[in-house]
Amino acid sequence: MTWETVKRWQRPAFGLALGLGLAGVSTWIAFHGGFFAINNDGEIHLARMESIYQAIHAGRLPSLVNFIGYSHRGTAMNAMYPWLTTLIFVAPRLLGANPMAALAVGFFLLNTVTLAGSYLLARQLTRSELGRWLGVMVYQFNAYHFQLMYTRVDLGEALGYAFLPLIMLGLFKIWQRDWRGTLWLGLGMGLVGNSHWLSLLLFTGTVMGLEVIRLCQGRIDWFELRSLLMSAGLALISASYSLVNSLTWISHNRMVTPTPSLIPLDPTTVWTRLLQNDFSESANGTHIGLAASLILLLLVSRLFSATSGPWRGWIVGAAALLVIAQNWLPWRDLANTPLQLLQFTMRLLTLVAMGLMIGVVLYFEQTRLPTRLTVWALSGFLIVIALTGVAQIREQTQTAEQWADRQPLTSGQQTRIIKDDRHYLTTHNYQADLDAMTMADYMLKKTDLTNVPVITNAEKQDLPVASRLNKLAVAFDSQAAAQFQYQCANDEQVRFSSNQKHAKLVKLPVVGYHHVNYQVKVNGRTVPYRRSQGQLLARLATGQNQVTISVAHNTKHGWWLCLSVLATLALVVGLVWLRH
């Protein structure tokens, strides 16, 4: 190997090592000590991933209803919540890792994708290696990103956050008349579509907003318009499996949506938590962290002295979105509009982080100011804020677990799950955690909502109240379900036992979706069933009954899955081929 070859590969090797190291640090802080601080949202994803793992491990297509978790009611989570990109958490299990190790590896891969995507975007914006890495640090280590991953544990939204840089990379390339931007934008949008519908809507609105601004500036031409339309087509093909599943389910079933709410950030709460570096879960107090806030404030102050430069628009946009997300605006009056799909204005902080990253990179590209000391100092500040915030949450969770360990177990309890906002997840209680979690989202809705109160605008700004009222619309007889004892479940079926005094038609403790082929077996024999008031109904015999409920696979879903996977792989291969 010649010295010229060593020099040529020295910078890429250093960048790769640095990126992997940063991904490792970002993951280690949440898993060291052998536990993970998880919440209800995180449990939702664990149950989905367990179902997907079991199906693939058995050589089956994952079922669109989930008998694992969610009280084993067969909720349509896989149908309504895209799951393809969560394979980065499932793949380590398939390779032999235990559930906790697989979760840690999945987060490592998630952080790696976020770092890689943000670096590719930064490389498009500047030739300065220091400027690139400073932008990467801002996007990776702002506090909102770590709260999204490790406080809210919203893996779908975190995946959307990871793929947003690819969308922006595609846009910048299109704006510079590079037709490869069409592939990048299509790939990014397709990946988000296979991760999180709400993020897809938010990012689509963002792209449309940016294009409207360019239209007003007279900067759109036919090349740009054609590239955008082609990207949209590629994204639809890439996300076709997830899209068809959700649309099919929506067209045949009236389901309870996730809690309708529109909760803005409260400046007082945000300021207090910002100064305390508090990362605990809060609908109205989430923040981007002291380090990122000071960087944004510094660049906002520079707007008054630097009168030109492309960075100005991005900083103005980031600052404007941060202001819009606060409760200074009449968000309550908008709670009955489609904006309630947003649920929390804190979701706009993803766009704030992206705008800040782009603004930082472009500012330093224009001013040529990023000295090595500046980059190291700001990066260190961002990393310390992010890591100490997560460490504080873990300490609180561990303290609660130690307190619980001193309490006696209740009768029949084998393992202790702290059913609080957050609890201590380990390899030992992982399965018990999946069995304990419940939720009402995407269950069938009552046909008669006369006695179900309408959630008012004011109630939609109080999440516990809105959640409680939303559950009243669920068509499910919990008292009848309590007569059944859960036995076991896997990715495609669930088994209950029930002792009946008389032979009669009984509501089974499973949601009865339309357009789904179920099979009901009682004591090993297939019996007819029908749907009634949101559940399956079947005749049980006198005495002890073993009831097994399963779903038949639809081969049509397999073809859509193949199309999505092949389209995504084709985009990736095409970009790699064009690169070399």
Side-chain angles (χ1 to χ4, degrees):
M1 181 181 293
T2 65
W3 177 246
E4 289 74 14
T5 303
V6 172
K7 290 180 65 177
R8 186 169 66 250
W9 287 99
Q10 184 177 11
R11 178 174 291 183
F14 174 77
L16 177 62
L18 179 58
L20 293 177
L22 292 173
V25 169
S26 300
T27 306
W28 168 83
I29 190 62
F31 286 91
H32 72 92
F35 77 95
F36 182 75
I38 199 165
N39 66 345
N40 185 66
D41 281 354
E43 293 171 328
I44 291 171
H45 295 287
L46 291 186
R48 294 172 63 235
M49 292 187 295
E50 182 67 22
S51 178
I52 294 165
Y53 159 72
Q54 289 193 15
I56 297 177
H57 187 261
R60 295 188 290 261
L61 182 68
S63 172
L64 298 183
V65 299
N66 295 76
F67 293 118
I68 297 174
Y70 319 109
S71 300
H72 311 289
R73 294 174 178 177
T75 308
M77 286 299 296
N78 281 351
M80 294 303 299
Y81 209 121
W83 59 265
L84 275 177
T85 54
T86 59
L87 288 175
I88 65 172
F89 293 91
V90 175
R93 286 284 305 276
L94 296 172
L95 296 176
N98 67 57
M100 284 294 292
L103 186 62
V105 173
F107 270 106
F108 174 78
L109 295 174
L110 174 61
N111 282 298
T112 301
V113 170
T114 307
L115 287 159
S118 55
Y119 182 83
L120 289 173
L121 174 58
R123 189 176 65 178
Q124 178 70 22
L125 302 176
T126 180
R127 294 182 179 180
S128 168
E129 194 70 14
L130 289 174
R132 292 172 183 174
W133 281 107
L134 182 56
V136 169
M137 293 295 186
V138 168
Y139 194 69
Q140 170 69 17
F141 287 99
N142 72 84
Y144 177 69
H145 184 212
F146 275 65
Q147 290 172 75
L148 177 59
M149 290 191 296
Y150 301 135
T151 300
R152 292 176 55 208
V153 201
D154 191 333
L155 298 187
E157 193 173 339
L159 284 161
Y161 187 100
F163 299 132
L164 177 57
L166 302 183
I167 295 173
M168 299 309 301
L169 173 61
L171 280 178
F172 274 102
K173 284 186 175 294
I174 290 173
W175 294 340
Q176 295 171 6
R177 301 187 63 80
D178 183 344
W179 68 273
R180 290 175 299 179
T182 302
L183 302 183
W184 281 113
L185 181 56
L187 176 63
M189 281 294 195
L191 289 171
V192 174
N194 283 318
S195 305
H196 192 237
W197 288 130
L198 190 53
S199 293
L200 181 63
L201 291 174
L202 182 62
F203 299 163
T204 300
T206 300
V207 172
M208 293 175 65
L210 292 172
E211 292 304 319
V212 167
I213 293 174
R214 288 177 59 81
L215 178 63
C216 294
Q217 295 173 339
R219 301 170 67 181
I220 289 185
D221 57 16
W222 282 111
F223 172 84
E224 184 170 331
L225 181 59
R226 186 170 60 251
S227 298
L228 292 171
L229 292 176
M230 290 176 62
S231 296
L234 293 172
L236 286 174
I237 297 172
S238 178
S240 58
Y241 171 73
S242 302
L243 183 63
V244 167
N245 286 340
S246 295
L247 290 179
T248 301
W249 234 259
I250 291 171
S251 65
H252 290 89
N253 300 279
R254 292 179 68 247
M255 293 176 287
V256 175
T257 63
T259 303
S261 60
L262 189 57
I263 302 175
L265 296 175
D266 176 64
T268 303
T269 305
V270 169
W271 178 249
T272 301
R273 291 163 57 86
L274 183 74
L275 294 180
Q276 295 175 344
N277 202 31
D278 185 355
F279 280 23
S280 59
E281 195 166 3
S282 172
N284 66 349
T286 307
H287 53 88
I288 61 174
L290 184 60
S293 297
L294 289 177
I295 294 173
L296 178 59
L297 183 61
L298 175 64
L299 291 180
V300 168
S301 68
R302 290 288 297 152
L303 291 172
F304 299 98
S305 55
T307 58
S308 64
W311 64 272
R312 290 170 52 85
W314 296 99
I315 295 302
V316 168
L321 285 173
L322 188 58
V323 171
I324 289 171
Q326 312 301 316
N327 61 12
W328 295 318
L329 298 182
W331 286 104
R332 177 179 294 188
D333 298 334
L334 302 173
N336 280 327
T337 69
L339 284 175
Q340 68 176 322
L341 293 173
L342 190 63
Q343 289 188 305
F344 316 102
T345 63
M346 65 177 168
R347 287 193 160 113
L348 296 177
L349 296 183
T350 293
L351 303 180
V352 172
M354 175 51 65
L356 179 58
M357 174 202 167
I358 295 173
V360 165
V361 174
L362 292 178
Y363 174 78
F364 283 114
E365 171 69 6
Q366 177 177 317
T367 59
R368 305 293 181 181
L369 286 178
T371 64
R372 194 176 300 274
L373 179 60
T374 301
V375 172
W376 280 110
L378 292 177
S379 298
F381 192 16
L382 286 161
I383 292 173
V384 168
I385 291 295
L387 299 189
T388 54
V390 175
Q392 186 180 26
I393 290 296
R394 287 173 54 81
E395 183 178 359
Q396 294 169 0
T397 305
Q398 192 166 29
T399 300
E401 173 69 13
Q402 291 170 350
W403 173 86
D405 281 342
R406 296 193 294 269
Q407 311 307 310
L409 290 170
T410 59
S411 177
Q413 187 178 1
Q414 300 299 318
T415 184
R416 185 178 293 100
I417 300 294
I418 304 174
K419 299 309 295 179
D420 202 347
D421 291 337
R422 183 164 305 281
H423 61 272
Y424 193 92
L425 181 71
T426 67
T427 301
H428 302 295
N429 67 3
Y430 189 94
Q431 187 60 51
D433 183 75
L434 297 183
D435 293 337
M437 63 87 59
T438 62
M439 67 175 296
D441 294 5
Y442 305 122
M443 296 181 68
L444 290 178
K445 185 180 291 187
K446 293 177 179 176
T447 55
D448 183 7
L449 298 177
T450 305
N451 297 322
V452 177
V454 176
I455 305 176
T456 65
N457 287 17
E459 290 166 340
K460 287 181 179 179
Q461 294 198 316
D462 187 331
L463 186 60
V465 172
S467 179
R468 177 175 55 81
L469 294 175
N470 193 48
K471 291 177 182 178
L472 297 178
V474 173
F476 195 87
D477 191 340
S478 297
Q479 291 184 343
Q483 305 304 313
F484 288 80
Q485 291 75 48
Y486 165 72
Q487 300 293 313
C488 61
N490 61 22
D491 62 288
E492 64 176 1
Q493 68 178 29
V494 63
R495 183 183 303 161
F496 299 95
S497 65
S498 177
N499 190 28
Q500 298 293 323
K501 294 181 180 179
H502 307 286
K504 61 179 180 179
L505 286 172
V506 177
K507 287 182 182 178
L508 305 180
V510 167
V511 181
Y513 293 104
H514 299 281
H515 199 65
V516 177
N517 294 321
Y518 293 94
Q519 183 182 66
V520 178
K521 289 186 177 181
V522 178
N523 297 325
R525 297 180 59 184
T526 301
V527 300
Y529 69 90
R530 60 186 175 90
R531 297 169 177 84
S532 175
Q533 299 178 335
Q535 294 173 241
L536 297 181
L537 192 70
R539 178 172 293 277
L540 300 187
T542 303
Q544 190 70 20
N545 292 271
Q546 295 291 330
V547 183
T548 303
I549 304 163
S550 59
V551 292
H553 293 289
N554 190 331
T555 56
K556 180 172 64 176
H557 296 151
W559 289 111
W560 284 112
L561 177 61
C562 289
L563 177 62
S564 287
V565 172
L566 290 175
T568 303
L569 290 177
L571 287 171
V572 172
V573 171
L575 286 166
V576 172
W577 180 76
L578 289 171
R579 175 69 178 84
H580 293 285

